[in-house]
Amino acid sequence: MKRLNIVLFAAASLLALFAFIKAQPSGNVEGTEVGNIAPELKFQDPQGNVRDLNSLRGNIVLVDFWASWCGPCRGENPNVVATYKKYKDSKFKGAKGFKIFSVSLDRDATAWTAAIKQDGLIWPDHVSDLKGWQSAASAMYGVYSIPTNFLLDSKGVIIAKSLRGEALGDELSKLVDGK
């Protein structure tokens, strides 16, 4: 009887282990962890045109969450701009180029567009639903503090997160063709 209980316990444990392994996400699932396919974002830019993250596939893309009222974001913007200028025309392994998809958690459109201009955020892909922390984008990506960013490969897979300061340039330099 004791032996039967041990065998049944072992079998139940193996079944539970297999169920756990099967439930683990693979690189082909949508999510916000490294290895996941980044969730689609489709929001309006300051001119009212819809911009969509998936349209940038084929490029290395930085999805950058920020806001005009966020001091640390504004402090990080010069680094993001310098990195964009350095890598926007680079050739990457398996990717056409480098793009930035800026997601603002602003509520005030005037403050948002003024900050884009003041900080020299020269790339075209700026979006916001102007709902602040109630933004659908921040909910989808689990963003609870800013600045926060996600680096995507050419297939939309998250390859790094929260790259600030020199870390963004360091990561991009690893992806440049010929290195």
Side-chain angles (χ1 to χ4, degrees), residues 67-109:
S68 66
W69 47 261
C70 169
C73 301
R74 302 294 296 274
E76 182 67 14
N77 278 345
N79 176 61
V80 177
V81 170
T83 303
Y84 177 73
K85 287 179 178 177
K86 180 175 180 178
Y87 289 99
K88 69 182 176 74
D89 296 321
S90 295
K91 305 288 183 223
F92 292 90
K93 299 169 195 155
K96 295 182 277 190
F98 174 57
K99 306 283 185 185
I100 298 178
F101 194 86
S102 291
V103 182
S104 170
L105 299 187
D106 275 286
R107 288 186 175 273
D108 181 332

Side-chain angles (χ1 to χ4, degrees), residues 3-22:
R3 187 165 215 203
L4 179 62
N5 286 340
I6 292 171
V7 170
L8 288 175
F9 176 77
S13 297
L14 278 174
L15 285 174
L17 179 62
F18 288 134
F20 174 78
I21 291 169
K22 180 105 174 116

Side-chain angles (χ1 to χ4, degrees), residues 7 10 20 24 34 38 49 51-52 58 61 70 72 77 91 93 102 109 111 122 131 135-136 150 154 156 158 168:
V7 170
F20 174 78
Q24 296 307 300
V34 171
N49 302 310
R51 301 263 179 181
D52 124 40
V61 178
C70 169
N77 278 345
K91 305 288 183 223
K93 299 169 195 155
S102 291
I122 56 176
K131 293 183 180 178
S135 164
F150 299 81
S154 63
I158 299 169
L168 175 58

Side-chain angles (χ1 to χ4, degrees), residues 105-133:
L105 299 187
D106 275 286
R107 288 186 175 273
D108 181 332
T110 303
W112 172 40
T113 55
I116 291 169
K117 187 173 183 175
Q118 286 172 349
D119 292 2
L121 308 182
I122 56 176
W123 49 91
D125 295 297
H126 296 275
V127 300
S128 182
D129 58 10
L130 297 174
K131 293 183 180 178
W133 285 111

